[in-house]
Structures are given as structure tokens and as C-alpha cells.
């Protein structure tokens, strides 16, 4: 499933706060950090199974109310930080919803079994040649 930042925008609430990023003295005066909060439990974009998967995979990013929370303070202005927070949130949600393919167990091929046996025989012969002649 592909979720874009534009689809998330109506459901995400943004809040400005003072950031930690670049900006010198300005960072102490201006609230340029964007804090994005998304209540994915009430979202219409996801199914119940997807919500359960997000709850499990993004447990470390959920606040005490069970909402997905993300901050961005990479840039000096609030608008770019808001856009970046949405991008990060969409990327994290898409990554959490990706279901890995099941691994199919495989068996060694005939050629690899023969190669393995031949190397064992060669190694055995090399070790045998190191022995004393009466031990043969």
C-alpha cells in the first residue's frame, strides 16, 4: 500500500515548537520545529489489519494516547519542517505496512553436493599424506 503525504495531510495535526536544529540564536526565539501527530486509529485510510500492524511495528513512536508522533527540526523555517515531517511519517507508515515475502526453504543442488564431497575427499587425502607411512 502506498500512502502519500498529501493523503495524510487532512488527518495529521501540526504543532510548532522550539527546535534543536540549525539556526543559531534564532532557534532559541522562533518556534520552527514541526511536531506532527496522527491518530491512525481513527483514520479512514487504513483497514483494521493495517492499524494493528502499525500499532505493533511503530510502538516506539506512539505517544501515551496511542497516536503516532514525529518531529522535524532539520530546517530553519516551519513550512519546510512541516513538509518534511509529513514525508517522514508517510515513509515510516509505508515501511511498517510492508509485509516481507515468505522464505521458501531450498535444498542444495546436485552439483553443490558433488563439489562438497570432492573437497572433503581432497582435504582427507592432503591430511592422509601428512601421516607417517606405517599409519596408512
Amino acid at each position: 500500500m502506498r500512502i502519500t503525504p498529501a493523503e495524510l495531510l487532512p488527518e495529521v495535526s501540526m504543532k510548532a515548537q522550539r527546535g534543536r536544529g540549525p539556526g543559531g540564536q534564532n532557534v532559541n526565539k522562533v518556534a520552527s520545529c514541526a511536531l506532527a501527530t496522527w491518530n491512525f486509529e481513527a483514520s479512514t485510510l487504513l483497514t483494521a489489519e493495517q492499524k494493528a500492524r502499525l500499532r505493533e511495528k511503530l510502538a516506539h513512536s506512539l505517544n501515551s494516547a496511542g497516536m503516532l508522533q514525529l518531529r522535524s527540526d532539520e530546517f530553519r523555517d516551519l513550512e519546510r519542517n512541516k513538509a518534511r515531517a509529513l514525508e517522514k511519517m508517510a515513509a515510516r507508515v509505508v515501511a511498517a505496512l510492508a509485509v516481507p515475502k515468505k522464505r521458501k526453504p531450498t535444498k542444495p543442488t546436485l552439483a553443490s553436493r558433488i563439489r562438497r564431497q570432492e573437497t572433503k575427499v581432497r582435504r582427507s587425502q592432503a591430511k592422509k599424506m601428512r601421516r607417517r607411512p606405517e599409519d596408512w
Side-chain angles (χ1 to χ4, degrees), residues 3-11 45 86 90:
I3 293 180
T4 63
E7 292 172 333
L8 281 178
L9 185 60
E11 296 185 359
L45 297 172
L86 276 174

Side-chain angles (χ1 to χ4, degrees), residues 2-136:
R2 198 83 190 134
I3 293 180
T4 63
E7 292 172 333
L8 281 178
L9 185 60
E11 296 185 359
V12 172
S13 65
M14 291 286 188
K15 183 179 164 189
Q17 62 185 32
R18 289 189 181 154
R20 310 167 296 184
Q25 289 180 352
N26 191 53
V27 81
N28 300 326
K29 298 185 293 183
V30 179
S32 61
C33 174
L35 183 69
T37 309
W38 182 38
N39 186 5
F40 67 91
E41 296 290 349
S43 176
T44 58
L45 297 172
L46 306 171
T47 64
E49 296 85 31
Q50 290 171 330
K51 290 175 186 178
R53 187 164 177 81
L54 283 181
R55 214 175 301 116
E56 177 189 332
K57 293 286 184 181
L58 300 177
H60 63 281
S61 298
L62 301 180
N63 63 11
S64 59
M67 299 168 82
L68 183 62
Q69 204 169 37
L70 220 132
R71 67 183 282 153
S72 176
D73 53 8
E74 299 172 28
F75 304 106
R76 291 173 71 125
D77 59 308
L78 181 62
E79 291 309 312
R80 286 190 356 191
N81 280 328
K82 282 182 179 181
R84 180 68 181 129
L86 276 174
E87 288 171 12
K88 283 167 51 173
M89 187 172 284
R92 197 171 283 186
V93 167
V94 167
L97 290 178
V99 180
K101 285 198 296 186
K102 281 232 172 189
R103 182 187 174 276
K104 295 179 190 171
T106 58
K107 293 180 181 175
T109 63
L110 177 63
S112 68
R113 285 186 296 204
I114 291 171
R115 273 193 310 271
R116 179 175 169 267
Q117 191 60 42
E118 286 173 355
T119 57
K120 283 170 144 275
V121 168
R122 273 197 304 272
R123 187 81 182 136
S124 171
Q125 290 297 322
K127 287 186 172 194
K128 196 174 192 181
M129 294 306 289
R130 294 180 197 147
R131 293 188 204 157
R132 286 193 201 109
E134 63 267 6
D135 290 345
W136 294 355

